[in-house]
């Protein structure tokens, strides 16, 4: 008879089966690894190489587009220099100063870009832009003159019949492909924007170990500075147009809005609350970087100025304090209180959003006119010409003129050029830069109202 299995033999068998399963799993893993295409280190290396290949492909696409657009750009510059600059110089249709005002440094720009094109076509992108960037001062001259060039061109087309015919004849050539001179003169401005985009993409897709990386990075920084210069000039031009528009709205020439480094902020209707029990009257206010101008509409029966406004008061902002009376509540509208050294203005609006915008704009303008606090060891110097002194001069002129004209009021100039020039940089960029100065103590004998009655 077969003997019974001894106790303890069954666990040994289970252990043997489990060990056999482990061996099978190890064998399966080994076989799987043997069929793997490459080890983990090789996989990591392949992913890095694939990323580098993608960078290279993207860089090549941008480089090809850069070369093609540069070729077309140089051809268009050649049209201007050949068919306009050189021929006008030979024919003498325009005086030299007028010709230089219109075309500025475009001939030098064409020469610089031809040298750049040679490097780009040979694949030397870093070296090409490294030699191109030191010549960007030609673009600076062109950028600073672009708006004046447009103005001079318009005047010459209006007054100079020979130049008008010459321009029309040249633009009819097949090489121009129906392009106008005005469009061609704007090409260098547009090209700077394209350079900025091309260089940023090429630098981002170039390895830091590549010798061209540093060259492209320097080119990105140089072109960015020029691009900021273009934006700054654009803001100045748009601000000038706004000042001219407001000046045309005002009747007469005694209220001068056009002033050096004055910046337009906003305008709108607000109701002036009188100190006594008079009726609330709506007035049109214009807010600038250095003053708040109050105006009223001319009589609708006026034959020529029914759509214009009369300047009443010019409030300087450098000594102004503004606060909400109850405009911070959720009620409809509110009041703004503007306090000057010897004048107070209470403005009302039924539009809560508009009132809040006025409050923010006034606070921002006043804050940018505040002098920067100086540390204890710094020398405290007084302002050369405080705004209040301008107000005193204006008031003295008003008093003398009113006595000569039997009490009639004359319009006084509201120019504040000195103060505005010291704060122009704050309004050109997004980040304000406060002026380093301190306000000196003023004697009470020479103080007067900061409100200029116009």
């Amino acid at each position: 008879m077969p003997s019974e299995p001894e106790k303890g033999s069954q666990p040994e068998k289970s252990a043997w089966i489990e060990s056999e399963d482990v061996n099978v799993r190890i064998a399966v893993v080994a076989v799987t690894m043997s069929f793997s295409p490459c080890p983990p280190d090789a996989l990591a290396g392949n992913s890095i190489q694939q990323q580098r290949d993608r960078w290279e492909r993207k860089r090549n696409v941008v480089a090809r587009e850069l070369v093609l657009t540069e070729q077309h750009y140089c051809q268009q510059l050649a049209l201007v220099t050949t068919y306009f600059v050189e021929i006008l110089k030979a024919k003498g249709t325009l005086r030299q100063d007028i010709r230089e005002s219109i075309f500025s440094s475009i001939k030098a720009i064409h020469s610089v870009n031809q040298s750049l094109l040679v490097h780009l076509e040979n694949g030397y992108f870093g070296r090409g832009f490294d030699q191109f960037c030191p010549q960007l001062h030609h673009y600076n001259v062109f950028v600073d003159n672009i708006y004046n060039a447009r103005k001079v061109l318009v005047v010459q087309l209006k007054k100079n019949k020979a130049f008008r015919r010459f321009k029309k004849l040249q633009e009819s050539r097949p090489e121009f492909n129906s392009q106008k001179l005005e469009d061609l003169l704007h090409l260098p401005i547009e090209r700077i924007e394209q350079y900025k985009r091309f260089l940023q993409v090429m630098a981002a897709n170039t390895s830091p170990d590549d010798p061209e990386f540093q060259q492209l990075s320097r080119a990105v920084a140089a072109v960015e500075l020029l691009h900021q210069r273009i934006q700054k000039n654009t803001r100045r031009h748009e601000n000038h147009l706004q000042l001219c528009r407001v000046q045309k709205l005002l009747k007469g020439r005694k209220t001068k809005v056009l002033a050096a480094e004055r910046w337009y902020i906003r305008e709108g209707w607000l109701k002036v609350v009188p100190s006594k029990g008079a009726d609330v009257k709506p007035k049109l206010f214009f807010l600038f970087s250095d003053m708040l101008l109050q105006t009223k509409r001319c009589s609708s029966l006026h034959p020529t100025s029914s759509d214009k406004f009369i300047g009443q008061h010019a409030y300087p902002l450098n000594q102004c304090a503004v606060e909400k009376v109850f405009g911070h509540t959720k009620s409809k509208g509110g009041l703004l209180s503007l306090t000057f050294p010897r004048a107070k203005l209470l403005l009302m609006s039924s539009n809560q959003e508009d009132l809040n915008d006025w409050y923010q704009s006034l606070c921002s303008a006043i804050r940018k006119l505040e002098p920067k606090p100086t540390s204890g060891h710094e020398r405290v110097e007084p302002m050369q010409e405080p705004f209040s002194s301008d107000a005193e001069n204006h008031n003295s002129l008003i008093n003398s003129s009113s006595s000569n004209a039997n009490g009639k009021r004359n319009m006084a100039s509201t120019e504040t050029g000195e103060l505005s020039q010291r704060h122009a940089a704050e309004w050109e960029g997004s980040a304000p830069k406060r002026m380093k100065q301190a306000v000196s103590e003023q004697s009470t004998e020479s103080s007067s109202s900061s409100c200029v009655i116009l």
Side-chain angles (χ1 to χ4, degrees):
M1 293 180 64
S3 60
E4 297 179 1
E6 298 181 357
K7 295 180 179 180
S9 60
Q10 187 66 25
E12 293 178 358
K13 183 177 181 181
S14 300
W16 180 82
I17 294 174
E18 291 177 359
S19 64
E20 185 177 11
D21 292 340
V22 172
N23 293 333
V24 171
R25 287 197 296 270
I26 294 174
V28 171
V29 172
V31 171
T32 303
M33 292 180 63
S34 65
F35 283 96
S36 179
C38 55
D41 294 340
L43 288 175
N46 288 339
S47 63
I48 294 175
Q49 185 60 39
Q50 290 174 358
Q51 179 64 38
R52 290 177 177 175
D53 293 341
R54 285 194 294 269
W55 289 346
E56 187 65 24
R57 286 194 298 269
K58 191 171 184 179
R59 174 190 162 95
N60 291 337
V61 170
V62 175
R64 189 181 305 110
E65 184 180 359
L66 174 59
V67 173
L68 293 176
T69 55
E70 185 69 19
Q71 291 173 346
H72 183 63
Y73 176 57
C74 287
Q75 292 173 359
Q76 292 177 314
L77 291 179
L79 294 178
V80 180
T81 56
T82 302
Y83 293 101
F84 278 96
V85 178
E86 296 296 340
I87 297 180
L88 283 173
K89 182 179 179 180
K91 291 173 64 67
T93 306
L94 294 177
R95 298 201 314 263
Q96 181 179 355
D97 58 336
I98 297 177
R99 190 173 64 250
E100 292 176 353
S101 298
I102 296 176
F103 300 100
S104 186
S105 58
I106 196 168
K107 186 176 179 181
I109 289 175
H110 180 220
S111 177
V112 169
N113 279 89
Q114 281 182 315
S115 300
L116 174 63
L117 179 60
V118 173
H119 287 90
L120 298 183
E121 289 177 337
N122 292 325
Y124 303 127
F125 295 94
R127 185 191 306 175
F129 278 101
D130 221 26
Q131 297 181 9
F132 171 75
C133 289
Q135 305 298 322
L136 285 178
H137 61 273
H138 296 300
Y139 275 87
N140 291 338
V141 174
F142 188 86
V143 165
D144 294 341
N145 185 67
I146 184 63
Y147 295 109
N148 180 63
R150 294 178 183 177
K151 182 178 178 180
V152 175
L153 178 60
V154 171
V155 172
Q156 290 301 312
L157 290 175
K158 184 178 180 180
K159 296 183 177 181
N160 194 329
K161 186 176 181 180
F163 175 67
R164 185 167 62 250
R165 289 180 177 178
F166 174 80
K167 176 179 177 291
K168 186 176 180 179
L169 177 64
Q170 299 301 84
E171 291 173 347
S172 64
R173 292 176 177 271
E175 295 90 344
F176 282 82
N177 195 20
S178 302
Q179 294 182 101
K180 300 297 182 182
L181 177 61
E182 293 84 350
D183 300 330
L184 295 174
L185 288 177
H186 195 67
L187 288 178
I189 309 295
E190 298 175 356
R191 191 56 178 168
I192 294 300
E193 179 68 29
Q194 295 173 358
Y195 283 149
K196 179 185 175 183
R197 177 173 59 87
F198 286 138
L199 289 171
Q200 286 177 344
V201 175
M202 291 192 67
N205 291 275
T206 302
S207 174
D209 300 331
D210 195 315
E212 281 194 334
F213 178 78
Q214 296 296 333
Q215 296 173 330
L216 293 175
S217 298
R218 289 194 297 268
V220 169
V223 172
E224 175 63 27
L225 287 177
L226 181 55
H227 183 259
Q228 293 177 3
R229 191 186 190 106
I230 294 174
Q231 291 181 323
K232 173 183 174 182
N233 290 343
T234 301
R235 289 193 299 268
R236 283 179 171 272
H237 179 67
E238 293 174 351
N239 178 71
H240 178 73
L241 295 179
Q242 288 283 15
L243 295 179
C244 292
R245 179 185 63 85
V246 176
Q247 187 70 69
K248 290 180 181 179
L249 283 176
L250 300 178
K251 179 184 176 181
R253 299 181 179 180
K254 294 182 179 179
T255 305
K256 296 183 179 179
V257 173
L258 287 169
E261 306 302 337
R262 174 174 290 163
W263 292 85
Y264 168 88
I265 301 177
R266 63 159 300 167
E267 64 189 65
W269 288 91
L270 292 171
K271 296 179 180 179
V272 179
V273 180
S275 57
K276 298 181 180 180
D279 295 335
V280 177
K281 298 181 180 180
K283 304 291 183 180
L284 181 60
F285 285 87
F286 297 92
L287 179 60
F288 302 97
S289 58
D290 59 340
M291 74 171 182
L292 178 67
L293 179 62
Q294 175 183 328
T295 66
K296 69 174 183 179
R297 187 184 294 275
C298 293
S299 174
S300 58
L301 301 178
H302 198 282
T304 59
S305 303
S306 58
D307 57 341
K308 293 184 178 294
F309 294 84
I310 300 175
Q312 290 183 298
H313 302 281
Y315 298 93
L317 299 179
N318 68 322
Q319 296 181 6
C320 174
V322 58
E323 61 179 349
K324 291 183 182 179
V325 178
F326 53 87
H328 60 281
T329 63
K330 295 183 179 179
S331 60
K332 187 177 180 180
L335 291 173
L336 289 180
S337 175
L338 280 72
T339 304
F340 303 91
R342 294 210 171 209
K344 189 170 183 179
L345 186 64
L346 197 60
L347 304 177
M348 183 176 69
S349 175
S350 58
N351 189 323
Q352 186 70 43
E353 183 179 354
D354 185 59
L355 187 79
N356 292 334
D357 187 65
W358 270 105
Y359 177 74
Q360 296 295 334
S361 299
L362 284 166
C363 290
S364 177
I366 294 171
R367 184 170 57 252
K368 291 179 179 180
L369 290 175
E370 292 176 354
K372 185 176 180 180
T374 57
S375 58
H377 63 276
E378 292 182 354
R379 180 183 177 184
V380 179
E381 296 182 355
M383 295 175 60
Q384 294 181 359
E385 189 175 348
F387 192 91
S388 59
S389 64
D390 293 338
E392 294 170 7
N393 295 334
H394 291 315
N395 288 336
S396 63
L397 291 174
I398 295 169
N399 295 332
S400 61
S401 61
S402 59
S403 61
N404 295 332
N406 297 325
K408 294 183 179 181
R409 295 180 181 177
N410 291 337
M411 306 290 283
S413 172
T414 58
E415 291 187 49
T416 56
E418 285 291 330
L419 180 65
S420 302
Q421 291 177 0
R422 291 195 289 266
H423 300 283
E426 299 177 0
W427 293 94
E428 292 172 2
S430 58
K433 299 179 181 177
R434 298 183 180 178
M435 179 178 56
K436 294 184 178 181
Q437 61 181 4
V439 181
S440 62
E441 298 182 355
Q442 300 179 6
S443 60
T444 58
E445 297 177 357
S446 63
S447 62
S448 63
S449 174
S450 60
C451 168
V452 180
I453 301 175
L454 298 174

